[in-house]
Amino acid sequence: MSEHRFTRDNTSATTAPAAVRPPHYLHNLRYKKPTEAARTSPEGHTLRALSDLTVVTCACGLTTPALPNDDARLAYEQHRNEIRDEMA
């Protein structure tokens, strides 16, 4: 056995206290499929199949209505770019 004792040198630690650090995950961007019943027009015609619709949600409060997949993808990408710009 060795007589050496190892101690931590905390002089180089530069981490900020938890209260000062910004929250890491203000956003949690997700695609969701709508769970509501099939949408119909007042005349009883189905407007669009639910499988063709997507909702975009985020922890910051963004929630889109049920959009066609291409429009939902566009909304997702726009919000993702806003998040990226916010972090820079």
Side-chain angles (χ1 to χ4, degrees):
M1 283 248 180
S2 172
E3 293 286 327
H4 299 286
R5 299 229 183 243
F6 296 98
T7 59
R8 283 180 58 178
D9 179 18
N10 290 331
T11 58
S12 64
T14 59
T15 57
V20 177
R21 291 184 202 150
H24 291 127
Y25 301 106
L26 296 174
H27 300 278
N28 188 12
L29 198 52
R30 299 273 185 206
Y31 286 119
K32 287 185 177 180
K33 292 295 180 184
T35 56
E36 62 192 40
R39 298 174 6 155
T40 58
S41 68
E43 294 83 31
H45 299 106
T46 301
L47 296 176
R48 187 177 286 267
L50 284 179
S51 62
D52 293 343
L53 298 175
T54 304
V55 175
V56 179
T57 62
C58 186
C60 70
L62 171 74
T63 302
T64 65
L67 299 170
N69 290 338
D70 291 337
D71 292 342
R73 189 175 307 120
L74 180 62
Y76 182 97
E77 291 298 322
Q78 287 175 339
H79 193 66
R80 190 174 65 119
N81 290 338
E82 290 171 10
I83 293 169
R84 183 196 62 217
D85 293 343
E86 196 176 277
M87 297 294 183

